[in-house]
């Protein structure tokens, strides 16, 4: 019989689990805290659980299923973790330190089924969707590695669902993982510190908007017209820009005070970075009366396998200025960890990196 992966169970599910083992329900809560708040990975360390229960747990349950194969550290401090699922699929997670707040970028799938033309992950195709437990575990592993087992994070952590995969094509597991991550008796990360990014799985944007525990939303747009977007992001042929913007408007109406909807726009030299295209983008956002939005401009992260190059600096600045002149806040997202293949669109399970960056021993 396959062992139960406890990391993917909500607190309520762990209560039921404990009861099924003939233990009082509160033992389940205790177990939840040990895993999600103290971030313990071994039953032996849970000394406040009775020995007999711990023994039983070892037989029927498991906390950790992901194995960290390698860990790369960039010259800018960014870390990329290359992990493997029990059945051998790659999972990548990125830790991005910054002065005020650190960010963990997690993956929702191994590989990705969407064929965005500028993205390296797309070359893998979909290997498989990750379970809720595998999503949560990525975060526990990184926190323990960076801060030490169970230690508080010095200034809180932002989470972004912007790693490999399309989160909204693994919606159920994603929502469950969010519930576990946000639980006040566990990691207790508030939804306002989490952003999920989608390439535009429209029906799921509507569902996401209505979630009780709802993180922020980012939509990867990357083109102002259907003609271009069809080419860059084939998912646009299924849900075009108009359909996507209607869903964005619906979400926009449901937003909390001071919340902003993010649009991501990967800047590709000579493809989508002209002044006119910036103007078209501004018009598009204005047409749908999206007032509380911001645009993250991401200069393309190139790889040998990709046919695109990042826009020139002057173009990037100009694009930003055009948006701002139309009252749309725009930010240039400088790549982090590019030397270790940790930047946006670079997660493709590369097991070796250039000589300048370091590969650290397996943790
Ligand atoms: N599938 C989701 C989650 C991935 S997030 C989505 O598409 O939103 C990854 C972000 O990186 C997306 O905004 C994507 O457009 C962007 N991206 C992909 N490849 C890139 C590349 N080579 N350089 C820069 N950004 C890239």
């Amino acid at each position: 019989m396959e062992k139960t992966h406890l990391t993917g169970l909500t607190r309520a599910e762990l209560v039921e689990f404990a009861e099924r083992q003939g233990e009082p329900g509160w033992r389940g809560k205790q177990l939840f805290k040990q895993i999600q708040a103290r971030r313990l990975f071994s039953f032996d360390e849970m000394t406040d659980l009775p020995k007999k229960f711990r023994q039983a747990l070892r037989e029927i349950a498991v906390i950790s299923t992901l194995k960290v194969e390698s860990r790369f550290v960039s010259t800018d401090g960014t870390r990329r973790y290359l992990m493997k699922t029990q059945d051998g699929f790659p999972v990548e997670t990125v830790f991005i330190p910054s002065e005020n707040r650190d960010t963990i970028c997690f993956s929702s799938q191994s590989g990705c089924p969407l064929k965005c033309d500028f993205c390296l992950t797309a070359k893998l195709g979909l290997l498989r969707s990750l379970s809720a437990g595998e999503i949560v575990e990525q975060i526990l592993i990184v926190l323990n590695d960076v801060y030490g087992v169970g230690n508080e994070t010095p200034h809180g952590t932002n989470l972004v669902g912007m790693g490999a995969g399309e989160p909204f094509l693994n919606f159920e597991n994603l929502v469950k993982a969010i519930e576990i991550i946000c639980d006040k008796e566990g990691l207790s990360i508030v939804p306002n510190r989490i952003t999920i990014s989608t390439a535009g799985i429209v029906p799921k944007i509507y569902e996401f908007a209505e979630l009780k525990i709802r993180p922020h939303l980012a939509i990867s747009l990357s083109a102002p017209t259907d003609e271009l977007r069809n080419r860059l992001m084939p998912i646009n042929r299924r849900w075009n820009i108009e359909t996507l913007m209607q869903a964005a408007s619906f979400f926009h109406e449901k937003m909390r005070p001071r919340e902003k909807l993010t649009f991501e726009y990967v800047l590709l030299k000579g493809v989508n970075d002209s002044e006119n295209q910036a103007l078209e983008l501004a018009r598009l956002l204005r047409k749908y009366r999206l007032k509380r939005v911001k645009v993250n401009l991401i200069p393309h992260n190139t790889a040998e396998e990709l046919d695109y190059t990042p826009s020139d600096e002057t173009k990037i600045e100009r694009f930003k200025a055009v948006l701002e002149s139309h009252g749309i806040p725009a930010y240039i997202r400088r790549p982090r960890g590019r030397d270790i293949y940790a930047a946006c669109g670079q997660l493709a399970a590369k097991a070796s990196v250039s000589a300048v960056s370091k590969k650290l021993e397996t943790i």
Side-chain angles (χ1 to χ4, degrees):
M1 195 186 74
E2 208 177 308
K3 292 184 175 181
T4 310
H5 188 198
L6 301 185
T7 319
L9 300 189
T10 62
R11 181 150 46 93
E13 284 172 340
L14 268 173
V15 167
E16 282 171 27
F17 170 84
E19 282 168 352
R20 274 201 307 276
Q21 307 311 315
E23 294 285 333
W26 53 266
R27 286 255 181 257
K29 285 191 196 167
Q30 228 177 339
L31 202 46
F32 184 82
K33 273 194 191 164
Q34 305 282 8
I35 299 170
Q36 304 291 350
R38 294 189 63 202
R39 308 196 300 261
L40 296 180
F41 276 34
S42 142
F43 298 117
D44 293 334
E45 293 170 295
M46 304 181 180
T47 45
D48 59 344
L49 294 177
K51 220 170 170 181
K52 216 180 96 236
F53 186 35
R54 278 188 271 151
Q55 239 158 26
L57 284 171
R58 268 197 299 272
E59 308 272 309
I60 57 164
V62 58
I63 299 172
S64 168
T65 59
L66 295 177
K67 189 168 163 280
V68 180
E69 296 248 296
S70 35
R71 181 175 66 152
F72 305 93
V73 179
S74 162
T75 47
D76 72 13
T78 300
R79 300 183 187 193
R80 176 167 68 96
Y81 298 80
L82 175 57
M83 317 188 196
K84 278 253 159 77
T85 62
Q86 249 171 1
D87 50 352
F89 293 109
V91 175
E92 282 165 285
T93 317
V94 179
F95 173 78
I96 309 146
S98 83
E99 244 170 73
N100 312 321
R101 189 161 284 280
D102 302 327
T103 302
I104 296 173
C105 175
F106 66 86
S107 295
S108 53
Q109 297 181 310
S110 181
C112 184
L114 303 182
K115 297 188 164 50
C116 302
D117 206 31
F118 47 77
C119 180
L120 203 55
T121 313
K123 308 285 175 211
L124 291 177
L126 176 65
L127 301 172
R128 78 159 163 80
S129 279
L130 301 180
S131 66
E134 287 165 338
I135 294 174
V136 175
E137 219 187 297
Q138 292 175 55
I139 294 145
L140 298 174
I141 286 173
V142 173
L143 288 176
N144 279 349
D145 179 51
V146 176
Y147 304 112
V149 175
N151 285 344
E152 291 272 321
T153 55
H155 34 227
T157 314
N158 283 337
L159 290 186
V160 292
M162 300 187 179
E166 167 49 49
F168 284 3
L169 289 178
N170 187 18
F171 197 73
E172 220 175 289
N173 291 339
L174 173 81
V175 169
K176 192 167 172 200
I178 291 168
E179 187 190 335
I180 295 170
I181 290 163
C182 294
D183 192 311
K184 292 202 170 49
E185 292 186 30
L187 278 167
S188 192
I189 295 177
V190 292
N192 269 333
R193 293 262 168 235
I194 307 175
T195 303
I196 305 298
S197 178
T198 180
I201 310 299
V202 163
K204 295 297 170 194
I205 295 178
Y206 287 95
E207 264 188 67
F208 187 75
E210 312 256 36
L211 287 180
K212 254 209 299 261
I213 306 171
R214 181 182 58 68
H216 293 293
L217 180 66
I219 296 175
S220 301
L221 196 58
S222 294
T225 62
D226 279 325
E227 195 207 349
L228 181 57
R229 199 167 187 268
N230 283 344
R231 196 145 56 82
L232 299 178
M233 301 177 68
I235 192 70
N236 195 69
R237 295 177 203 157
R238 178 77 176 80
W239 292 289
N240 64 15
I241 292 182
E242 190 184 337
T243 325
L244 179 58
M245 294 308 275
Q246 278 165 2
S249 303
F250 180 83
F251 182 88
H252 191 264
E253 273 170 38
K254 301 266 168 185
M255 287 196 308
R256 299 182 275 268
R258 288 189 300 280
E259 184 175 356
K260 278 197 173 161
L261 169 59
T262 304
F263 285 94
E264 291 153 292
Y265 195 101
V266 183
L267 284 167
L268 310 163
K269 185 176 185 166
V271 176
N272 66 356
D273 62 350
S274 73
E275 205 169 319
N276 191 40
Q277 284 161 323
L279 201 63
E280 281 180 307
L281 176 59
R283 285 206 195 105
L284 183 66
L285 299 178
R286 290 250 303 255
K287 179 178 163 199
Y288 288 89
R289 294 199 183 76
L290 300 177
K291 296 214 167 69
R292 290 153 62 206
V293 296
K294 64 171 174 167
V295 174
N296 280 347
L297 299 169
I298 317 175
H300 185 247
N301 295 306
T302 314
E304 250 171 57
E305 299 89 329
L306 300 171
D307 292 334
Y308 301 92
T309 45
S311 306
D312 295 335
E313 198 54 39
T314 48
K315 283 270 185 176
I316 297 174
E317 291 295 343
R318 189 73 207 124
F319 203 96
K320 177 179 185 309
V322 170
L323 291 176
E324 283 172 342
S325 72
H326 286 79
I328 299 159
Y331 304 89
I332 300 166
R333 302 309 297 251
R334 297 292 166 194
R336 299 289 306 268
R338 189 137 70 170
D339 54 343
I340 55 162
Y341 286 88
C344 290
Q346 288 195 303
L347 299 185
K350 275 210 192 295
S352 66
V353 295
S354 71
V356 288
S357 58
K358 287 179 285 182
K359 177 183 167 182
L360 296 190
E361 71 292 352
T362 299
I363 52 167

